Amino acid sequence: MKKLNLYFALKRAGFRGALICLLVVLLNSCSFGWYQFAFTDDTVEDRVKTYDALDSSDIPQVSGTGTYSFLVVSDLHFGSGRNDVDHDDFFAKFTELVHSGETEKIPRFVINLGDTSDDGSAEYFEQYNEWCERVKSIALAQTGDSSFKVYALIGNHDLYHDGQKNFIKLVYPNKYACYFDFAWDNSTEGFGFYFLDSANGTLSNTQYELVSEKMKSDSRPKIVLTHYPVYAGGHPFMLMHNTLERAKILSLFADNSVKAIFAGHAHQHFYYDYGSFFEYVIQSYRSSHVCLLVTVNEDAASVTEQLIEF
């Protein structure tokens, strides 16, 4: 009897040990951070009730011929004590890019794909705003563009401690989900830029229907920006969770001239080619020290990308 009791005691301990290991892995991932315990009941259904176009003053104000570039960053995690990054290295690389002799490769705006604050605290969003001001000052010095924009999406870490309230108040363009239409060359129809709120790992039925309605009324080629990847090469933890929703989203994109999806969240690089469009998941700015230079050719309705290390 004692041997039997010892067997079951060891078996139970083994299960608990395995469970603890699993929790450690999950809680240290981007999907299930320690601050997840501080989540509120706020969901994307609560946040996204409309899908609005940005005002004309919020759209890039520069113009040229045919081809232009913009920069994508993700997972800056201001306030994180892990994988610290020297922002001066990024500013030096950004300065190099805006001084490029190739006009088509000069970044004309920046898009941040989310997880800006590590824990949703206002002070870390304020630190990000200081980072944005430095970026804009570098662009102004070289290009003379006083209206240079740095757009941001909300990520799952930005929700911690009711952080969505700080995000919507402090982080430009002060929207959870929105879009704008932009033509670098006025002789073309340009591209549509679709910013999605996927911070809970889903778009929600409401947001999906709003985006679907807009896309179906828009003949332009499109670029989609999201924190959570739609597919991420099939990674089990780093994609949108609902398989039916993923299928609907990808079908919508395939039918409505989407050319590229850019996503973050995974802190790893994934790429998937769907034929008529592709999904590019960019590594973390903080831990991998990378950004992505995206080049749009309006005449060819094409999108290409180049990874930039700093």
Side-chain angles (χ1 to χ4, degrees):
M1 180 64 69
K2 289 183 179 179
K3 288 184 178 179
L4 188 61
N5 288 339
L6 178 61
Y7 166 77
F8 282 111
L10 290 172
K11 187 174 182 180
R12 285 195 298 272
F15 174 76
R16 285 196 297 270
L19 181 59
I20 289 170
C21 289
L22 177 61
L23 286 173
V24 168
V25 170
L26 292 178
L27 291 172
N28 278 287
S29 75
C30 190
S31 295
F32 302 95
W34 294 105
Y35 293 107
Q36 208 82 338
F37 291 114
F39 264 178
T40 66
D41 291 330
D42 179 84
T43 69
V44 65
E45 286 281 10
D46 300 316
R47 294 190 300 273
V48 180
K49 303 295 186 182
T50 60
Y51 194 62
D52 301 320
L54 292 183
D55 294 336
S56 58
S57 61
D58 293 319
I59 299 172
Q61 301 298 307
V62 291
S63 63
T65 57
T67 302
Y68 64 93
S69 296
F70 62 93
L71 206 65
V72 177
V73 296
S74 190
D75 297 274
L76 284 79
H77 288 279
F78 278 91
S80 171
R82 307 179 305 276
N83 303 316
D84 208 10
V85 62
D86 187 342
H87 297 294
D88 285 339
D89 290 341
F90 169 77
F91 295 136
K93 179 58 68 174
F94 184 70
T95 301
E96 180 183 319
L97 290 171
V98 297
H99 281 81
S100 169
E102 296 181 77
T103 303
E104 295 176 350
K105 296 293 185 179
I106 297 173
R108 302 300 175 171
F109 51 93
V110 174
I111 296 176
N112 162 23
L113 298 177
D115 277 3
T116 298
S117 170
D118 196 55
D119 67 358
S121 296
E123 66 175 301
Y124 300 136
F125 288 126
E126 294 286 13
Q127 288 179 18
Y128 165 71
N129 285 337
E130 294 173 5
W131 180 92
C132 291
E133 289 305 312
R134 181 75 180 275
V135 168
K136 289 189 283 188
S137 68
I138 292 170
L140 174 62
Q142 173 59 22
T143 66
D145 179 13
S146 60
S147 64
F148 192 94
K149 305 292 191 297
V150 183
Y151 303 94
L153 300 172
I154 191 167
N156 57 304
H157 275 254
D158 301 320
L159 299 178
Y160 298 162
H161 295 134
D162 274 334
Q164 68 278 359
K165 298 174 183 177
N166 295 323
F167 176 89
I168 202 68
K169 178 181 178 181
L170 298 172
V171 179
Y172 183 82
N174 310 100
K175 303 279 188 183
Y176 293 125
C178 58
Y179 68 91
F180 67 79
D181 304 323
F182 173 62
W184 177 250
D185 184 340
N186 291 329
S187 69
T188 74
E189 63 178 350
F191 269 66
F193 285 75
Y194 285 70
F195 296 76
L196 308 181
D197 181 341
S198 62
N200 294 105
T202 177
L203 296 190
S204 79
N205 290 331
T206 298
Q207 185 177 192
Y208 172 82
E209 292 299 332
L210 291 168
V211 172
S212 176
E213 180 181 3
K214 170 56 186 171
M215 281 193 173
K216 290 175 181 177
S217 68
D218 182 5
S219 63
R220 296 175 183 84
K222 302 168 182 66
I223 293 172
V224 173
L225 298 313
T226 174
H227 181 66
Y228 264 81
V230 180
Y231 183 61
H235 191 290
F237 297 122
M238 296 302 174
L239 42 63
M240 291 186 185
H241 309 313
N242 187 296
T243 55
L244 177 58
E245 180 184 40
R246 291 203 307 270
K248 288 171 58 180
I249 291 169
L250 294 174
S251 293
L252 175 70
F253 293 173
D255 292 340
N256 290 280
S257 301
V258 168
K259 300 300 180 182
I261 308 167
F262 294 104
H265 181 64
H267 290 214
Q268 302 175 57
H269 170 59
F270 296 100
Y271 181 92
Y272 197 84
D273 188 344
Y274 296 93
S276 59
F277 66 99
F278 63 87
E279 180 178 57
Y280 191 108
V281 181
I282 185 175
Q283 302 100 307
S284 165
Y285 167 102
R286 173 168 290 274
S287 60
S288 295
H289 304 170
V290 298
C291 54
L292 195 69
L293 185 69
V294 178
T295 301
V296 175
N297 184 319
E298 291 181 343
D299 294 321
S302 66
V303 180
T304 56
E305 76 290 329
Q306 177 186 351
L307 189 68
I308 305 292
E309 298 179 349
F310 59 87

